[in-house]
Amino acid sequence: MNFVALDCETHLIQPGLQAPPIVCGSYWGSPTSARPATGGLLTRREFIDSVRSKLQGDLVIAGANIAFDFGCVVAAEPDLLPLVFAKYERGEVWDVSIAMMLHLIAEGCVHEGELWDPRSPGKKLIDPSKGTITSRVSLAVCVDLCLGRADAKENDEWRLRYAELEALPFHQWPAVARDYPVDDARNTYEVAVWQAQHCRNTVNLPAQCAAAWAAHLSAMWGIRTDASRVEAMQAALEAKRAEDVAFAKSKGFMREDGSKNMAVIHEAVTKAYNGNPQRTEKGAVSTAREVLEESGDEALERFSEVSKTEKLLKTYLPFVQSGVEVPINVRPNILLATGRASYDGLIQLLSRKGPTRECFVPRPGHVWCSVDYSAIELSTLAQVCLWTVGHSRLAEAINDGKDAHTVPVSTMTSRPYEELLPLVKLPGEVKDLRQAGKAANFGFPGGMGAAKFVIAKRKEGLRVCRVMGKEAQPCGTEMVTSWKDRETSPVCRQCVEAAEELRRFYLGTWTEMRGYFAYVTNHLETSAEVTQFLSGRVRGGCRFTQMCNTLFQGLAADGAKKALWDITRECYLDTASPLFGSRVMIFAHDELILEMPEERAHEAALRQVEVMVAAMKEYVPDVRVSAEPALMRRWFKDAAPVYVEGRLVPWEPQQS
């Protein structure tokens, strides 16, 4: 494989500007393996011309976060956009950071967002250019891991100052300013060559690089917020803070002057945890928000709202305020251990309901379209069971068009599915049991135990004993801190017992799941590595729950990234598509939100559904995949399809 590494130096990134003007560029590479690699520093014009030439050739272009460099190039000369897409489609783009992340995943060095050094078991990964623990794979990290050098950024003193040199010829630049871009290109080239020979998981690299490019284009476009909604959010949060503080004072958790009464709080936490509270490193009773939230004490749980509201005011409010004047450019992280993508910062942490999310609005003349796959991880779970166990009642139910959350209710009540279906939207036992069935469908496939299941659902506002009809006494009356000889945060005994019963019904409904869990157990007896179906991506260091989850979560992630690519390509290149001119706003696991011109939103939305379903079917060939579009004028998580005279129109919340 013959590489050429490209890198550009630009003006500073600014709010609303993720593709700043290029100052200069650099390259390093060789057209054939028989010739030694060479490189050099290029003017802006020379660099863009060089990129054009390399896009038209067959050399593999390497870079660290190469999507950024391509973004700057196409911002300067948009006619290069089709060539960039074509290069990705031919698999001729090699992002060394993504390649390294894939390798770390295969080596089992990625756990819950933390990176571990494959050379030193038990040691977190350090970025040598900063000397700090990192959750991102930079070029400096790649050079350290691949080449054994910590000097990748030794000449970086001008890294953020190249705009100052823009008007000067190269010979008037300081030597280190001339060296740094060439160092970056040479380091990238040498890392890419090493990775091609030694790194694992590169079979999945083209797909991940393509998804990274599509996500970067979305980030370049950015998201706007509405000033009036931001003002309303601020007023609502200030009112909520006043309510929270008044409650805290009424319980003695806060004094009249607004200070916290730590003695009272410590006493309440200690009592909630049956005399064995969690403690800080210094031995004090922990009052961290998660400790209060998991205490099982309603007063402490409510008290945790004080810090949550404060965080919304101090952190989230400035975040949404920034989108009033210029677009907010969220930074995607295209690859997690499961294969999913995420975003840095706050955008993925917005609560489902409330004022924050609804501050985000489309640009004038546009609407947003949300297309969410219908319970896609149930479809991918069913597909994985067909491949691993050989049968799946869940697949049969989905393919028959049944509601997978109502089917377990039939098992619980011994009543026919058809008899139950009309009752699921009416208040009463069947509706509650369907809610329990839904919780089971999304909680138990990953091997979650009853106690953790109860805690997870309590955070979502669901009391398991209540929905299962097992609340003989008020939920939380009897709390336990251990279950089946394992310690746990305080949980309601009734809830855990109900969760155990719910799990039995779950396994009795989807009989393939016992076989699936046995498949995982048997696999882990010989290897902690699992290979993702179809994409071939390997994940190492798996425990039972991780392997249970990663097979079907990873399949859904791969299908969703293919959908992201296909949608983005039509938005930017296919002038005949109803999607042309639309832009991806958010890529959230199984949901894609697009901004599209309102006059053709109906046609564009239907095309979005068509493309997304077709892309996912490449990964889920034997189980039904479905999705629905919803138009909206603000970001409503509950938006649903609304048709007027056969055409899709924006959904609006009902006025209370």
Side-chain angles (χ1 to χ4, degrees):
M1 185 178 295
N2 296 318
F3 292 101
V4 59
L6 299 175
D7 182 61
C8 66
E9 303 302 331
T10 68
H11 287 243
L12 292 179
I13 294 173
Q14 302 173 34
L17 180 62
Q18 293 297 292
I22 297 169
V23 175
C24 67
S26 57
Y27 74 97
W28 197 274
S30 173
T32 69
S33 56
R35 294 174 58 180
T38 59
L41 187 63
L42 302 172
T43 66
R44 176 182 180 277
R45 180 71 266 160
E46 290 170 339
F47 179 72
I48 293 173
D49 289 344
S50 177
V51 172
R52 183 185 297 274
S53 173
K54 301 303 186 295
L55 290 172
Q56 293 170 332
D58 59 3
L59 287 177
V60 176
I61 297 178
N65 189 22
I66 188 66
F68 171 80
D69 302 273
F70 283 144
C72 294
V73 168
V74 299
E77 298 200 3
D79 70 297
L80 290 174
L81 193 60
L83 294 179
V84 175
F85 272 91
K87 197 72 171 175
Y88 277 104
E89 287 177 332
R90 296 197 300 271
E92 294 174 357
V93 176
W94 187 288
D95 191 308
V96 296
S97 295
I98 297 175
M100 197 71 247
M101 187 68 173
L102 283 166
H103 181 73
L104 292 173
I105 290 171
E107 292 293 298
C109 295
V110 184
H111 296 289
E112 298 180 353
E114 294 183 327
L115 305 183
W116 299 82
D117 194 322
R119 302 164 300 187
S120 304
K123 179 182 177 183
K124 291 184 180 180
L125 194 60
I126 302 292
D127 187 326
S129 67
K130 302 174 182 177
T132 57
I133 294 171
T134 181
S135 60
R136 287 271 191 166
V137 180
S138 65
L139 177 58
V141 169
C142 291
V143 170
D144 182 28
L145 292 177
C146 299
L147 308 179
R149 293 192 283 107
D151 60 355
K153 298 294 180 179
E154 65 178 358
N155 294 319
D156 70 347
E157 62 186 83
W158 282 86
R159 183 173 64 89
L160 302 178
R161 300 174 55 193
Y162 274 89
E164 299 175 28
L165 304 173
E166 187 171 36
L168 300 177
F170 288 157
H171 71 270
Q172 294 184 19
W173 288 19
V176 291
R178 296 194 302 268
D179 291 341
Y180 176 74
V182 181
D183 286 348
D184 264 4
R186 183 170 187 167
N187 283 330
T188 301
Y189 172 81
E190 292 178 356
V191 165
V193 170
W194 188 95
Q195 289 178 339
Q197 297 172 354
H198 301 286
C199 270
R200 305 175 64 191
N201 264 345
T202 55
V203 64
N204 192 223
L205 183 59
Q208 298 297 340
C209 287
W213 169 239
H216 183 71
L217 285 173
S218 170
M220 285 172 60
W221 187 249
I223 315 173
R224 300 303 301 265
T225 54
D226 176 69
S228 63
R229 298 297 304 182
V230 173
E231 291 174 2
M233 171 185 170
Q234 182 174 1
L237 287 176
E238 288 173 349
K240 177 68 164 54
R241 177 172 57 186
E243 293 178 5
D244 293 341
V245 170
F247 173 82
K249 290 179 178 179
S250 72
K251 296 297 181 179
F253 297 145
M254 293 182 74
R255 302 182 181 90
E256 285 304 314
D257 63 3
S259 62
K260 293 181 180 179
N261 190 331
M262 300 308 298
V264 174
I265 299 170
H266 287 165
E267 182 181 358
V269 171
T270 301
K271 181 179 179 181
Y273 282 82
N274 291 336
N276 187 29
Q278 298 182 38
R279 294 187 177 274
T280 66
E281 292 183 358
K282 295 183 178 180
V285 175
S286 175
T287 58
R289 195 171 81 194
E290 60 270 18
V291 172
L292 303 182
E293 290 175 336
E294 296 181 9
S295 66
D297 182 288
E298 291 189 1
L300 287 173
E301 290 177 10
R302 172 71 189 279
F303 177 55
S304 72
E305 295 289 320
V306 174
S307 61
K308 188 182 297 184
T309 304
E310 283 294 332
K311 184 172 183 179
L312 287 170
L313 277 166
K314 293 179 179 179
T315 306
Y316 286 76
L317 181 62
F319 173 66
V320 295
Q321 285 173 330
S322 69
V324 173
E325 297 298 329
V326 296
I328 297 173
N329 304 108
V330 294
R331 186 186 182 199
N333 180 8
I334 205 59
L335 184 59
L336 306 178
T338 59
R340 284 178 164 184
S342 68
Y343 289 97
D344 288 353
L346 303 176
I347 195 69
Q348 66 180 358
L349 303 177
L350 303 181
S351 60
R352 182 182 180 89
K353 295 182 179 180
T356 309
R357 189 182 294 265
E358 294 175 16
C359 290
F360 292 89
V361 293
R363 291 162 173 83
H366 294 71
V367 293
W368 277 7
C369 179
S370 166
V371 176
D372 194 350
Y373 289 109
S374 300
I376 189 59
E377 288 191 354
L378 295 186
S379 293
T380 56
L381 173 64
Q383 182 67 65
V384 167
C385 285
L386 289 175
W387 286 331
T388 58
V389 184
H391 62 90
S392 173
R393 290 185 63 182
L394 179 58
E396 293 171 5
I398 294 172
N399 288 340
D400 288 344
K402 291 183 177 179
D403 173 35
H405 305 320
T406 301
V407 175
V409 183
S410 181
T411 307
M412 294 183 222
T413 61
S414 299
R415 295 167 65 180
Y417 169 85
E418 291 74 17
E419 177 185 315
L420 296 169
L421 196 59
L423 304 177
V424 297
K425 293 185 178 180
L426 302 177
E429 178 192 23
V430 174
K431 182 178 180 180
D432 288 345
L433 290 177
R434 183 191 179 276
Q435 192 176 12
K438 181 177 181 180
N441 280 336
F442 291 124
F444 291 136
M448 185 181 289
K452 287 189 176 180
F453 177 83
V454 169
I455 293 169
K457 296 305 150 185
R458 188 174 69 202
K459 290 180 179 179
E460 298 171 8
L462 182 119
R463 303 284 179 162
V464 179
C465 66
R466 196 165 295 162
V467 295
M468 287 289 289
K470 304 295 182 180
E471 194 179 19
Q473 52 187 343
C475 179
T477 299
E478 182 184 357
M479 305 294 285
V480 295
T481 54
S482 66
W483 190 255
K484 292 187 174 180
D485 299 324
R486 291 187 179 183
E487 291 186 0
T488 175
S489 296
V491 288
C492 167
R493 176 182 289 277
Q494 289 179 149
C495 282
V496 183
E497 291 172 346
E500 294 282 11
E501 183 176 355
L502 177 60
R503 189 173 187 274
R504 289 193 293 272
F505 284 131
Y506 172 82
L507 295 174
T509 303
W510 314 124
T511 54
E512 66 271 26
M513 290 307 298
R514 292 189 186 277
Y516 179 59
F517 292 146
Y519 169 84
V520 172
T521 299
N522 292 336
H523 181 93
L524 290 174
E525 288 179 356
T526 58
S527 176
E529 292 185 359
V530 57
T531 301
Q532 189 66 52
F533 289 107
L534 301 185
S535 71
R537 183 177 58 257
V538 175
R539 181 180 181 184
C542 287
R543 299 187 297 272
F544 177 77
T545 54
Q546 290 171 328
M547 183 173 171
C548 286
N549 277 307
T550 202
L551 283 173
F552 65 86
Q553 283 185 354
L555 193 65
D558 290 339
K561 286 180 180 177
K562 178 62 164 59
L564 171 67
W565 172 262
D566 290 346
I567 289 286
T568 302
R569 193 184 187 287
E570 288 201 16
C571 287
Y572 282 85
L573 299 184
D574 189 350
T575 57
S577 171
L579 287 170
F580 184 71
S582 298
R583 296 290 182 261
V584 175
M585 294 287 100
I586 293 292
F587 172 52
H589 303 318
D590 52 2
E591 179 185 20
L592 271 172
I593 300 177
L594 269 64
E595 185 172 272
M596 52 186 55
E598 185 165 3
E599 70 270 10
R600 60 174 186 272
H602 171 78
E603 292 79 10
L606 297 186
R607 178 58 182 163
Q608 182 181 347
V609 170
E610 184 179 12
V611 173
M612 288 178 62
V613 170
M616 187 62 73
K617 285 299 292 179
E618 295 183 30
Y619 292 83
V620 192
D622 304 312
V623 183
R624 181 181 179 184
V625 173
S626 59
E628 287 187 321
L631 300 182
M632 49 191 171
R633 301 191 189 281
R634 282 184 273 135
W635 191 358
F636 296 112
K637 190 62 178 176
D638 294 332
V642 177
Y643 290 88
V644 175
E645 297 180 353
R647 292 186 64 81
L648 195 66
V649 299
W651 177 91
E652 296 289 350
Q654 294 183 349
Q655 299 297 322
S656 57

